[in-house]
């Protein structure tokens, strides 16, 4: 019996890497859409014949759809399970993208209205919001306490990695093949992720971290709903605030480098890809590092402080360049390079913390509440994805690019106090995680949280 239990535990430990792979693929598919489509901003503006203000509103619809749908999808995930929600979300998102390729892409005889484009992006956001919480819950369920930070950080690398794929692939498709190919490529990525979900995602019979010498651990949640917990909401607020500098870079870096820095499409695409790949590397490293040192909150506060410093420098450098080249035909090369370095460094700092933050959020909530807690965090994050693209054009029209980057720095400053560690007694009062083991095959009245 012991050998059989060890064999089952070994299979479960092996299968968790497949589940993690599905989580990465699913998140990368959707990230390529919500972060890759903004990388086509210059071509989107031209192909659909819209203004910069209309562009911001249209791109903001992607974030708005996710904001509206994340929490319902998360609650549904805790009720239905990871597999069904993930499959439903990927299939419906693919259908929306196919519809956009068929009827929402500009052609010689038809250019969809800004309202139709906004509705299509809203639908993609509403349906794709299912991916984040459901895949995160699956990864958390298959990971032990000492590896959750690494596992969630690897999953979170899917966001910058998928966005990097989108930044490199989608502008080229938009420029040379048209937006029907942009939407078709994204639909194909969703289809591949759905196939992997069918093959590998399931609820674990015995969680890898629940095996004991005497049996298994009862995984029943006694903590209060995360919707009723102040510490969870404070973490969500910090996530939302620190996402705004990240969104500012993802959404308008190509416009900034094109309009202000006079850089070409290759430079803009390379800068966005560098931000996303750098963030992916930092997320993996930070997940492992904070697992070993148990210092997630301190790391999050450090990321917030570094973001403030880098975006304040970017604002100052932008103001200096605008003053220096006033009336000149173009930006000096050294000025463009300096802005590029600060923009990439700031974007990485504002994107490197996601895996650590969402691991801490899920740990605060407890296993049975992971879907809801991650949905809350993602709702906060995508409030930033909704608001920032709409607000930035107004700041830009009123006071110019320096105010955009200074506002991003201010948002990083708001995130810093939100990541303070709560006192231990406060966590206990708020519904801390507790574990009670029970032998397999026996019933007990004790309840436990993992």
């Amino acid at each position: 019996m012991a050998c059989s239990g060890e064999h089952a535990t070994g299979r479960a430990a092996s299968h968790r890497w497949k589940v993690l792979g599905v989580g990465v693929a699913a998140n990368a598919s959707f990230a390529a859409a919500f972060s890759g489509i903004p990388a086509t901003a210059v071509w989107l503006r031209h192909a659909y014949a819209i203004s910069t203000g209309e562009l911001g509103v249209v791109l903001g619809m992607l974030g708005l759809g996710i904001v509206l749908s994340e929490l319902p999808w998360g609650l549904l995930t805790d009720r239905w399970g990871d597999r069904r929600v993930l499959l439903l979300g990927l299939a419906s998102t693919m259908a929306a993208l196919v519809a956009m390729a068929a009827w929402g892409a500009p052609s010689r005889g038809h250019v969809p209205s800004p309202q139709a484009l906004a509705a299509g992006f809203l639908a993609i956001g509403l349906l794709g919001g299912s991916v984040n919480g459901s895949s995160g819950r699956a990864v958390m369920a298959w990971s032990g306490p000492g590896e959750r930070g690494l596992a969630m950080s690897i999953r979170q690398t899917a966001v910058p990695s998928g966005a990097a794929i989108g930044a490199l692939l989608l502008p080229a498709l938009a420029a040379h093949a048209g937006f029907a190919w942009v939407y078709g490529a994204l639909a194909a990525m969703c289809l591949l992720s759905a196939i992997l979900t069918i093959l590998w995602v399931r609820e674990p019979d015995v969680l890898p971290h629940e095996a004991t010498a005497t049996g298994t651990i009862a995984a029943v949640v006694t903590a209060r709903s995360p919707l009723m917990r102040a510490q969870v909401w404070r973490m969500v607020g910090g996530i939302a605030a620190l996402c705004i500098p990240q969104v500012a870079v993802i959404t308008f870096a190509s416009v900034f480098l094109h309009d202000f820095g006079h850089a070409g499409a290759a430079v803009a695409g390379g800068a966005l890809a560098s931000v996303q790949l750098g963030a992916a590397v930092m997320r993996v490293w930070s997940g492992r590092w904070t697992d070993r040192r148990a210092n997630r909150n301190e790391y999050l506060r450090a990321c917030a402080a570094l973001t403030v410093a880098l975006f304040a420098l970017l604002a100052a450098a932008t103001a200096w360049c605008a003053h220096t080249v006033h009336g000149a035909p173009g930006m000096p090369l050294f000025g463009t390079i300096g802005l590029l370095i600060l923009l990439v460094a700031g974007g990485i700092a504002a994107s490197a913390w996601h895996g650590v933050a969402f691991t801490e959020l899920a740990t605060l909530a407890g296993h049975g509440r992971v879907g809801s807690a991650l949905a809350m965090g993602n709702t906060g994050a995508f409030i930033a994805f909704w608001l920032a693209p709409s607000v930035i054009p107004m700041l830009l029209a009123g006071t110019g690019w320096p105010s955009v980057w200074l506002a991003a720095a201010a948002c990083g400053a708001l995130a810093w106090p939100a990541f303070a560690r709560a006192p231990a007694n406060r966590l206990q009062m708020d519904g801390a995680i507790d574990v009670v083991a029970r032998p397999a095959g026996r019933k007990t009245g004790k309840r436990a949280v993992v």
Side-chain angles (χ1 to χ4, degrees), residues 161-265:
S161 298
I165 293 171
L168 292 174
L169 176 63
L170 300 189
L173 286 175
H176 299 103
F179 276 89
W181 284 88
V182 169
Y183 304 132
L186 294 171
M189 294 178 68
C190 290
L191 175 61
L192 176 60
S193 298
I195 293 171
L196 294 177
T197 301
I198 293 171
L199 293 175
W200 289 335
V201 173
R202 59 178 172 81
E203 291 283 348
D205 297 324
V206 178
L207 301 183
H209 57 284
E210 290 183 348
T212 66
T214 58
T216 60
I217 292 175
V220 182
V221 174
T222 55
R224 286 189 295 159
S225 166
L227 292 168
M228 303 297 293
R229 296 172 58 184
Q231 175 68 6
V232 174
W233 278 113
R234 188 171 71 174
M235 179 73 70
V236 169
I239 288 171
L242 198 51
C243 274
I244 289 178
Q246 175 194 356
V247 176
V249 172
I250 291 172
T251 308
F252 280 93
S254 62
V255 177
F256 171 68
L257 292 172
H258 178 272
D259 294 354
F260 186 84
H262 306 286

Side-chain angles (χ1 to χ4, degrees), residues 18-19 21-31 83 86-87 89-91 94 131 135 158 186-201:
K18 296 179 181 179
V19 175
V22 175
V24 170
N27 276 265
S29 300
F30 188 46
R83 178 185 171 89
L86 191 53
L87 275 175
L90 287 169
M94 181 184 68
V131 170
S135 64
L186 294 171
M189 294 178 68
C190 290
L191 175 61
L192 176 60
S193 298
I195 293 171
L196 294 177
T197 301
I198 293 171
L199 293 175
W200 289 335
V201 173

Side-chain angles (χ1 to χ4, degrees), residues 145-446:
E147 61 189 14
R148 284 173 179 159
L150 176 62
M152 286 291 285
S153 293
I154 291 174
R155 187 197 75 118
Q156 287 296 121
T157 62
V159 177
S161 298
I165 293 171
L168 292 174
L169 176 63
L170 300 189
L173 286 175
H176 299 103
F179 276 89
W181 284 88
V182 169
Y183 304 132
L186 294 171
M189 294 178 68
C190 290
L191 175 61
L192 176 60
S193 298
I195 293 171
L196 294 177
T197 301
I198 293 171
L199 293 175
W200 289 335
V201 173
R202 59 178 172 81
E203 291 283 348
D205 297 324
V206 178
L207 301 183
H209 57 284
E210 290 183 348
T212 66
T214 58
T216 60
I217 292 175
V220 182
V221 174
T222 55
R224 286 189 295 159
S225 166
L227 292 168
M228 303 297 293
R229 296 172 58 184
Q231 175 68 6
V232 174
W233 278 113
R234 188 171 71 174
M235 179 73 70
V236 169
I239 288 171
L242 198 51
C243 274
I244 289 178
Q246 175 194 356
V247 176
V249 172
I250 291 172
T251 308
F252 280 93
S254 62
V255 177
F256 171 68
L257 292 172
H258 178 272
D259 294 354
F260 186 84
H262 306 286
V267 173
L272 284 169
S274 297
V275 169
Q276 302 294 1
L277 292 175
V281 171
M282 285 300 299
R283 289 181 187 190
V284 174
W285 174 84
S286 64
R288 185 60 173 165
W289 189 67
T290 54
D291 275 346
R292 290 177 174 178
R293 295 177 177 263
N295 63 343
R296 292 179 192 139
N297 293 83
E298 289 80 0
Y299 175 78
L300 294 172
R301 285 161 72 86
C303 284
L306 182 60
T307 299
V308 171
L310 288 171
F311 276 90
L313 284 174
L314 179 59
T318 303
W320 179 82
C321 287
H323 176 73
T324 301
V325 300
H326 181 69
M331 177 78 67
L333 179 61
F334 71 89
T336 301
I337 293 174
L339 293 176
L340 189 64
I341 292 172
L342 286 172
L343 186 68
V344 170
I348 292 173
S351 308
W353 50 271
H354 280 254
V356 175
F358 281 95
T359 303
E360 183 67 13
L361 190 62
T363 302
L364 285 172
H367 172 65
R369 303 287 193 181
V370 168
S372 302
L374 292 180
M376 291 169 64
N378 283 314
T379 298
F382 285 101
I383 285 176
F385 274 86
W386 170 45
L387 287 178
S390 301
V391 173
I392 286 174
M394 291 188 287
L395 284 174
L396 185 58
T399 52
W401 285 108
S403 65
V404 171
W405 305 130
L406 194 60
C411 291
L414 290 174
W416 189 82
F419 293 133
R421 184 185 296 275
N425 60 345
R426 173 64 180 275
L427 286 177
Q428 291 171 1
M429 292 173 61
D430 214 17
I433 296 174
D434 201 2
V435 176
V436 179
R438 75 179 185 197
R442 291 177 57 189
K443 294 183 179 180
T444 177
K446 294 182 179 181

Side-chain angles (χ1 to χ4, degrees), residues 44 48-60 114-115 117-118 389 393:
L44 197 72
Y48 286 89
I50 55 179
S51 67
T52 300
E54 289 173 324
L55 173 68
V57 173
V58 164
L59 292 178
Q115 293 78 16
L117 181 62

